[in-house]
Amino acid sequence: MVAEKSGKRLNSASELELLCEEIKRSVSARTRTVTICCGTGCLAYGGTKVAQAFRDEIKSRGLESEVEVKTTGCHGFCERGPLVVIRPENILYQRVKPADIPQVIDETLISGRVIDRLLYTIPGTKEKVTYEHDVPFYKKQMRLVFGANGYIDPTVIEDYIGCGGYAALSKTLFEMKPDEVVDEVKKSGLRGRGGGGFATGAKWQSTREAHGDPKYVICNCDEGDPGAFMDRSLMEGNPHAIIEGMVIAAYAIGAHLGYIYIRNEYPVAVKHAEKAIAQAEAMGLLGENILGSGFSFSVKINRGGGAFVCGESTALMASVEGRVGEPRAKYIHTSEKGLWDQPTVLNNVETLANVPLIINRGAQWYSSIGTANSKGTKIFSLVGKVNNTGLIEVPMGITLEEIVYGIGGGIPKNKKFKAIQTGGPSGGCLPASKLDMPVDFDELTRAGSMMGSGAMIVMDEDNCMVDIARYFLSFLEGESCGKCVPCREGLKRMRQILDRIISGQGQPDDIELLENLSETLTWGALCGLGGGAANPIMSTLRYFREEYEAHIIEKRCPAGVCKPLISYNIINEKCPNCTLCIKACPVGAITGQGKKLPVILDQVKCTKCGACYDVCRLGAVEVR
């Protein structure tokens, strides 16, 4: 019955409400739903094959009327994919393979028994966890925006409507005036999740009051930070929430056309966004005379070429216009003269996905979450040297320690935490002394980093912070559009100085030179990306200065990473001549002396690849 409704145009708020109720009734008629994560990470692990195996097995046993098999967007716990959750109990099975499916159906779906071997095991205690909400990774999160990903099929609009989707749009169009929408967003305290943290309501008001017609709404899904995949996962897993947020923004500022700017490297996100737009148009939730309200708004997709700089607002707009993606000076804000010199609101994916929540539950509720100047929750990609990697959503104000140890499960192999890099390549590296710091826009800025789009990369004692700074600087150098001298020449010169330091040729005044260049870049670059490009240098100099000094003065890399400054050596007392290192050495630099006598490492032949260090189980190879 519900399927017959698909594609039928909805002409009023009441028709939307009736459809929502009908969908809920049809869902409750089924006793079980098997949701399979088919976010990009789980797809890589074989999520599609797992889903197909479920469908085939359910069909062959005639259980289709009792069990629904649903493929969803990313659940967040990417480390343990493919993930399967059996609802309504929320039994979580991890690292599921197609061969496991018959047993899951026999034991769990039919007999009600839990399969131990597919449950998540807490690394420290070895305790098995049955339910998704009891897994420490999920337990300490507040998944207001991202949570729906685990419940809906992003290619089926009825799934979104059945969860209350488009109710905020209906409320906006029939119960609120545009000024009231702007005021509600302003009162909520929502700040842009794309990097700058600008107040969303103020941006909307400025665009609404700007002279010019037409006006535009742009959704920024050009996520270029290494290690970041929040926006991609939201667009893949819940595209209708973003479209709903765009229509509400358009109504508030008086726009009738919008663009979703997605990088071409996100094919699943593009595919799902295209399908969602077509479905919403067919059902009267997008396009002409939305829900019979008289308001019209259309959305087009613009694929980006993958340039990091196109995440910057003016460069993105130049790209949409068909020009080279380069930023311009913002003497006039894009809210007044943006796309084609017309008033334009640009928000990123996560920002827009927050808007329906605010309209549905109210600004007062939303502003009760978070800190004084950073409201709501934030989605972070937690990656690097941490046990539980994936996407997390937490309230603003949570400490870094709760994120790294409470949700992330700590550092693998019980190694020592060294730093966490936040805010993408233009962010900063924060040391262990900042672990108790609450995470919000202002605290991160004060500490020398930034919120950015929300990437968090954890580093342990084996990371060299000079090398880390060079990595991010090299990335930014390669992605610089080259338009302004401070960014084009400054980044190149700073990277050359870091190369010199790492090669053992550092000079006493290199640190001062790096500081001066950083200051020039910060104040002289044309756009925000250039202005923040010195952060990796400045933050590592601020918190890990002694590592720079060790490289320059002592010609030593304390972390044992920079090859020109290290050597591998055999500890004779610990070496029983097991020959593992001899077999591992690709250049024959290690030779044996006979039974129970320590091996000999030829420093001239050694290429410092570290193979001997990696294979030695007795700690007989050391790095100096």
Side-chain angles (χ1 to χ4, degrees), residues 242-262:
I242 295 122
I243 291 171
E244 188 178 9
M246 287 184 75
V247 187
I248 294 170
Y251 175 76
I253 68 162
H256 298 286
L257 179 61
Y259 291 87
I260 299 177
Y261 189 87
I262 312 182

Side-chain angles (χ1 to χ4, degrees), residues 208-279:
R208 174 166 175 75
E209 293 172 350
H211 296 289
D213 186 58
K215 295 176 180 178
Y216 298 102
V217 173
I218 298 178
C219 170
N220 185 352
C221 190
D222 189 66
E223 190 177 45
D225 297 3
F229 52 107
M230 301 78 61
D231 290 346
R232 187 197 72 201
S233 296
L234 268 178
M235 187 63 79
E236 288 177 355
N238 196 2
H240 286 288
I242 295 122
I243 291 171
E244 188 178 9
M246 287 184 75
V247 187
I248 294 170
Y251 175 76
I253 68 162
H256 298 286
L257 179 61
Y259 291 87
I260 299 177
Y261 189 87
I262 312 182
R263 53 177 43 221
N264 203 38
E265 298 101 307
Y266 288 179
V268 178
V270 172
K271 180 181 169 186
H272 288 183
E274 286 175 340
K275 190 157 190 172
I277 290 170
Q279 291 173 336

Side-chain angles (χ1 to χ4, degrees), residues 331-550:
Y331 303 120
I332 302 174
H333 290 301
T334 55
S335 57
E336 295 178 45
K337 287 188 179 296
L339 189 63
W340 289 295
D341 279 343
Q342 296 298 320
T344 305
V345 152
L346 184 143
N347 292 130
N348 91 322
V349 168
E350 187 182 344
T351 309
L352 290 165
N354 271 274
V355 171
L357 274 176
I358 293 167
I359 299 298
N360 277 330
R361 304 182 69 169
Q364 189 174 357
W365 163 80
Y366 190 85
S367 62
S368 68
I369 303 165
T371 61
N373 296 312
S374 300
K375 302 299 185 184
T377 59
K378 179 74 189 82
I379 303 174
F380 294 100
S381 62
L382 184 62
V383 297
K385 293 180 176 177
V386 61
N387 281 312
N388 300 330
T389 58
L391 291 180
I392 63 169
E393 183 179 356
V394 291
M396 294 281 194
I398 191 173
T399 65
L400 286 170
E401 187 165 18
E402 288 175 284
I403 290 176
V404 174
Y405 288 94
I407 298 173
I411 313 300
K413 300 178 183 176
N414 291 319
K415 293 211 170 183
K416 189 178 175 185
F417 170 92
K418 187 170 197 177
I420 184 166
Q421 203 269 356
T422 70
S426 302
C429 299
L430 304 176
S433 62
K434 293 291 181 185
L435 275 172
D436 61 351
M437 188 186 80
V439 176
D440 69 12
F441 286 101
D442 303 326
E443 288 293 337
L444 285 171
T445 301
R446 273 193 284 273
S449 186
M450 61 166 66
M451 182 75 76
S453 60
M456 283 189 170
I457 303 174
V458 180
M459 291 163 256
D460 71 10
E461 58 193 274
D462 293 334
N463 286 108
C464 167
M465 301 314 293
V466 183
D467 185 55
I468 289 291
R470 183 177 66 158
Y471 167 77
F472 285 114
L473 212 65
S474 298
F475 174 85
L476 292 165
E477 182 191 4
E479 293 291 337
S480 171
C481 74
K483 187 172 181 178
C484 71
V485 173
C487 185
R488 183 183 67 237
E489 299 300 326
L491 285 173
K492 180 180 178 181
R493 184 67 182 128
M494 290 162 81
R495 194 263 305 152
Q496 289 172 338
I497 293 169
L498 289 177
D499 281 347
R500 187 167 71 210
I501 293 173
I502 283 172
S503 69
Q505 305 300 314
Q507 298 170 6
D509 59 352
D510 275 348
I511 291 179
E512 185 181 355
L513 190 52
L514 284 171
E515 289 173 330
N516 290 338
L517 285 168
S518 295
E519 190 171 354
T520 302
L521 185 58
T522 301
W523 295 107
L526 181 63
C527 73
L529 296 184
N535 277 342
I537 296 272
M538 293 168 72
S539 63
T540 49
L541 277 172
R542 178 176 173 179
Y543 296 115
F544 303 96
R545 195 181 191 90
E546 69 284 358
E547 290 202 28
Y548 283 85
E549 291 170 346

Side-chain angles (χ1 to χ4, degrees), residues 66-84:
E66 300 168 39
V67 181
E68 181 183 19
V69 178
K70 185 178 289 188
T71 52
T72 70
C74 178
H75 292 198
F77 203 5
C78 309
E79 173 77 21
R80 313 303 297 184
L83 300 169
V84 171

Side-chain angles (χ1 to χ4, degrees), residues 569-578 596-599 616-622:
N569 298 275
I570 305 297
I571 303 174
N572 290 343
E573 297 76 21
K574 295 184 177 180
C575 178
N577 191 25
C578 71
K596 294 187 178 180
L597 291 174
V599 298
C616 183
R617 299 166 186 166
L618 303 171
V621 181
E622 66 173 355

Side-chain angles (χ1 to χ4, degrees), residues 88-361:
E89 301 92 336
N90 294 329
I91 297 169
L92 171 66
Y93 288 145
Q94 42 98 61
R95 295 187 175 170
V96 179
K97 298 180 178 60
D100 299 322
I101 308 312
Q103 187 185 3
V104 172
I105 292 173
D106 283 336
E107 295 200 22
T108 305
L109 292 179
I110 296 176
S111 304
R113 292 193 295 269
V114 172
I115 303 169
D116 247 31
R117 66 180 180 84
L118 294 177
L119 296 176
Y120 171 72
T121 305
I122 299 175
T125 62
K126 304 299 178 188
E127 177 191 351
K128 297 272 186 182
V129 184
T130 303
Y131 304 107
E132 182 185 45
H133 49 267
D134 287 334
V135 174
F137 178 80
Y138 291 114
K139 202 171 183 177
K140 299 186 178 181
Q141 295 190 44
M142 185 182 280
R143 295 161 68 85
L144 300 177
V145 177
F146 195 58
N149 265 38
Y151 289 83
I152 63 175
D153 181 340
T155 66
V156 178
I157 190 172
E158 288 81 3
D159 270 16
Y160 182 66
I161 292 173
C163 291
Y166 288 108
L169 173 62
S170 176
K171 180 181 178 181
T172 299
L173 295 178
F174 294 102
E175 299 176 25
M176 301 175 78
K177 294 176 181 175
D179 283 336
E180 292 174 330
V181 179
V182 172
D183 284 344
E184 194 71 4
V185 175
K186 284 174 70 177
K187 287 176 187 171
S188 74
L190 175 65
R191 295 172 67 173
R193 300 318 200 222
F198 195 79
T200 303
K203 186 187 279 189
W204 287 16
Q205 183 173 30
S206 178
T207 312
R208 174 166 175 75
E209 293 172 350
H211 296 289
D213 186 58
K215 295 176 180 178
Y216 298 102
V217 173
I218 298 178
C219 170
N220 185 352
C221 190
D222 189 66
E223 190 177 45
D225 297 3
F229 52 107
M230 301 78 61
D231 290 346
R232 187 197 72 201
S233 296
L234 268 178
M235 187 63 79
E236 288 177 355
N238 196 2
H240 286 288
I242 295 122
I243 291 171
E244 188 178 9
M246 287 184 75
V247 187
I248 294 170
Y251 175 76
I253 68 162
H256 298 286
L257 179 61
Y259 291 87
I260 299 177
Y261 189 87
I262 312 182
R263 53 177 43 221
N264 203 38
E265 298 101 307
Y266 288 179
V268 178
V270 172
K271 180 181 169 186
H272 288 183
E274 286 175 340
K275 190 157 190 172
I277 290 170
Q279 291 173 336
E281 285 177 343
M283 297 187 73
L285 297 162
L286 194 63
E288 294 294 322
N289 193 21
I290 295 171
L291 286 174
S293 66
F295 177 71
S296 302
F297 179 69
S298 300
V299 175
K300 296 181 179 179
I301 290 179
N302 194 298
R303 299 188 192 199
F308 178 71
V309 73
C310 283
E312 198 275 341
S313 60
T314 58
L316 185 153
M317 290 178 197
S319 177
V320 173
E321 292 172 4
R323 298 185 287 116
V324 174
E326 288 181 341
R328 65 163 171 80
K330 292 182 185 172
Y331 303 120
I332 302 174
H333 290 301
T334 55
S335 57
E336 295 178 45
K337 287 188 179 296
L339 189 63
W340 289 295
D341 279 343
Q342 296 298 320
T344 305
V345 152
L346 184 143
N347 292 130
N348 91 322
V349 168
E350 187 182 344
T351 309
L352 290 165
N354 271 274
V355 171
L357 274 176
I358 293 167
I359 299 298
N360 277 330
R361 304 182 69 169

